[in-house]
């Protein structure tokens, strides 16, 4: 990490989003559209986006973020936080890569073991990348952990054993380290942990000693700007090349340096390229309490115009992975709870919702495929992926113009579809999608990032209708469907996590079935504090919007098994009273 201090980005590397918008956000809940409108094939429209699955590019290894690295950057992720980051269920972000640090002090190796164990066991196909910032001080020419200093050549074998010992230690704790980097930022020598390498020195190390590091794949590079001179020498040497699995690099000034681009030499030898670190949080200027406010314009502009744009460009550059800096920080994917920045610890942030549009739906092993666009869709930045019987498109619309009735054409028939949008007025919410044969039609909002997931196969011969996109806020009460199974009286528990600001709030509500039988079909009733009005919600339909409210399950979450929990939530306005709801009952039974 190139930092004057671990969280400060030098002004020369700060970029600001263009334009100003207002964001209405909520905690994440990415959901599936249960029904689709099926039209006769004869009504096929001229496509705006055409997917060419015969044209393929890189295989995706994943999208991720880092555990705490430096002392003072926070405790290890909790089990709940780790599950939020790597899980693929409602309200979770779907990260498939977790980056961590190889400390020069072996007694510190176990610090993040529990978080990594959870990531591996709870997530789907999660890979662990371990990066060292420095070797032990006495291995180095300056006899110090900081200010660079080179690895002494007479300690090359000891350093290889140091890395191998870390991998074997983590293996003994039940954690496979899939990828081990030789060095984080060999071209940056600050007054914190760091070590200086040239590309030739890296080649010599992996050529002569790389085979000593077992049960993992080595990575070379990880330079600040993804500078190729740190990995080219290894790629050009057959012995060294055979001892590595990946090349990596960071995005700090990479775009200005021309390095956010394809890497033909790495591709020639079958070495996937990973973007392993970037951190940008210039939106708060000199520092302000804006990050916990999901409606903050500057935060959304930076998220959309800078971060999501570079994810898109990294995919177009044929890179196989994109790894953000800290997963839990006030400017990252879940909040850290530091009061001066205004986030709730562990709560999903708007930036996490946007990143999940890639991470949750473009999965390891998917392959990027070709797309073409009509002039009507020319303002959209689109990438497409195929795997697991699905075609997934991620659409980045950074313009101020919506593209309504955008028609996506794929070569295969579509059996089902879902469409998820994060924009200035919605946070990772399901929207309507119409399907006919191999076409899907959606509305792409202005200033949004969205994901279309198309499942290949023959559609049902009986047309069904897409339900009203969630979240749904009804102006008048609607009948509560009768559940087929009710828990015993009191066999439920409800907890609240309210994040409030001057005239608004977000409430994440977790419902736990404490009974011994499943709840199949549910309605949660509660009373809002006076002056509160729900403006949007997720995970349920809400009616009415004030007073005594009934939240009813949607298509993807009707069942709560014994001992299981689901999380729903809403955003509301208030006139000064930000108290949480009271009087929770589930299917008529009071909850603790």
């Amino acid at each position: 990490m190139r930092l004057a201090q671990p969280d400060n980005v030098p002004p020369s590397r700060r970029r600001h989003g263009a334009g100003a918008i207002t964001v209405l956000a909520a905690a994440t809940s990415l959901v599936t559209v249960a029904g689709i409108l099926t039209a006769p094939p004869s009504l096929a429209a001229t496509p705006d986006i055409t997917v060419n699955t015969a044209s393929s590019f890189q295989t995706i290894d994943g999208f991720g973020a880092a555990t705490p690295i430096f002392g003072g950057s926070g405790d290890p992720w909790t089990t709940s936080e780790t599950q939020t980051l790597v899980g693929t269920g409602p309200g979770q972000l779907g990260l498939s890569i977790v980056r961590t640090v190889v400390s020069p002090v072996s007694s510190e190796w176990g610090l993040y073991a529990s978080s990594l164990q959870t990531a591996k066991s709870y997530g789907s196909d999660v890979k662990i990348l371990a990066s060292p910032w420095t070797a032990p001080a006495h291995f180095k020419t300056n006899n110090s952990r900081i200010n660079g200093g080179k690895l002494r050549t007479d300690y090359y074998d000891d350093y290889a054993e140091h890395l191998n010992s870390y991998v074997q230690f983590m293996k003994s704790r039940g954690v496979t380290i899939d990828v081990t980097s030789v060095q984080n930022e060999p071209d940056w020598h600050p007054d914190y942990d760091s070590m200086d390498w040239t590309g030739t020195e890296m080649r010599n190390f992996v050529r002569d000693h790389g085979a000593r590091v077992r049960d993992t794949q080595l990575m070379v590079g990880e330079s600040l700007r993804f500078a190729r001179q740190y990995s080219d020498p290894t790629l050009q040497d057959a012995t060294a090349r055979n001892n590595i699995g990946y090349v990596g690099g960071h995005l700090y000034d990479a775009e200005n340096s021309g390095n956010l681009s394809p890497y033909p030499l790495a591709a020639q030898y079958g070495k996937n390229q990973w973007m392993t670190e970037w951190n940008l949080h210039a939106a708060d200027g000199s520092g302000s309490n804006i990050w916990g406010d999901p409606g903050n314009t500057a935060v959304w502009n930076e998220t959309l115009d800078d971060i999501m744009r570079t994810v898109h460009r990294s995919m177009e550059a044929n890179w196989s992975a994109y790894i953000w800096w800290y997963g839990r920080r006030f400017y990252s994917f879940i909040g850290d709870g530091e009061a001066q920045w205004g986030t709730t610890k562990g709560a999903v942030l708007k930036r996490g919702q946007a990143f999940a549009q890639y991470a949750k739906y473009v999965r390891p092993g998917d392959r990027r495929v070709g797309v073409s666009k009509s002039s009507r869709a020319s303002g959209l930045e689109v990438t497409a992926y195929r795997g697991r019987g699905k075609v997934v498109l991620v659409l980045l619309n950074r313009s101020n113009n919506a593209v309504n009735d955008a028609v996506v054409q794929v070569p295969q028939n579509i059996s089902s579809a879902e469409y998820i949008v994060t924009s200035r007025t919605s946070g990772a919410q399901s929207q309507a999608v119409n399907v006919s044969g191999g076409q899907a039609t959606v509305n792409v909002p202005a200033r949004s990032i969205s994901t279309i997931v198309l499942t290949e196969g023959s559609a049902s011969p009986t047309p069904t209708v897409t339900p009203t996109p969630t979240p749904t806020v009804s102006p008048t009460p609607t009948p509560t469907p009768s559940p087929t199974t009710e828990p015993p009286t009191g066999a439920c528990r409800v907890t609240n996590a309210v994040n409030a600001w001057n005239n608004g709030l977000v409430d994440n509500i977790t419902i736990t079935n404490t009974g011994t039988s499943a709840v199949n079909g549910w309605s949660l009733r509660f009373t809002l504090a006076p002056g509160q009005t729900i403006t949007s919600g997720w995970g349920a339909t809400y009616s009415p919007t004030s007073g005594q409210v009934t939240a009813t399950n949607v298509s993807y979450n009707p069942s709560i098994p014994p001992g299981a929990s689901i999380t729903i939530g809403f955003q509301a306005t208030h006139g000064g009273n930000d108290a949480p709801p009271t009087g929770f009952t589930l299917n008529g039974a009071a909850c603790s």
Side-chain angles (χ1 to χ4, degrees), residues 115-189:
S115 301
L116 301 179
Q117 288 168 354
T118 301
K120 279 284 193 180
S121 63
Y122 187 83
S124 175
D125 298 320
V126 172
K127 290 182 173 65
I128 306 299
L129 164 64
S131 298
W133 263 245
T134 183
H138 66 281
F139 287 13
K140 297 170 62 181
T141 56
N142 65 351
N143 197 34
S144 173
R145 289 173 51 164
I146 68 174
N147 296 316
K150 289 188 175 294
L151 180 66
R152 289 170 47 178
T153 56
D154 56 326
Y155 276 94
Y156 273 25
D157 56 344
D158 297 278
Y159 186 56
E161 187 54 41
H162 171 76
L163 296 179
N164 181 63
S165 295
Y166 170 82
V167 173
Q168 302 310 317
F169 171 85
M170 295 304 292
K171 184 178 179 181
S172 73
R173 299 290 294 270
V175 178
T176 297
I177 302 298
D178 301 276
V179 184
T180 303
S181 175
V182 172
Q183 175 63 42
N184 171 76
E185 295 182 350
D187 50 347
W188 180 243
H189 317 130

Side-chain angles (χ1 to χ4, degrees), residues 299-315:
V299 171
W300 178 243
N301 284 346
E302 184 178 85
T303 297
L304 189 68
D305 293 320
D306 293 298
I307 297 158
M308 295 305 107
R309 179 182 58 81
T310 62
V311 180
H312 170 80
R313 286 209 56 200
S314 296
M315 296 298 101

Side-chain angles (χ1 to χ4, degrees), residues 25 67 90 108 203 225 242 300 318 334 355 365 385 388 406 420 432 450 472 526 544 578:
T67 66
E108 297 177 354
R203 177 205 63 195
R225 299 173 180 85
N242 290 336
W300 178 243
N318 296 327
I334 61 175
F355 195 76
Y385 310 83
R388 303 163 292 123
I420 307 96
S450 57
T472 300
F526 54 86
D578 58 7

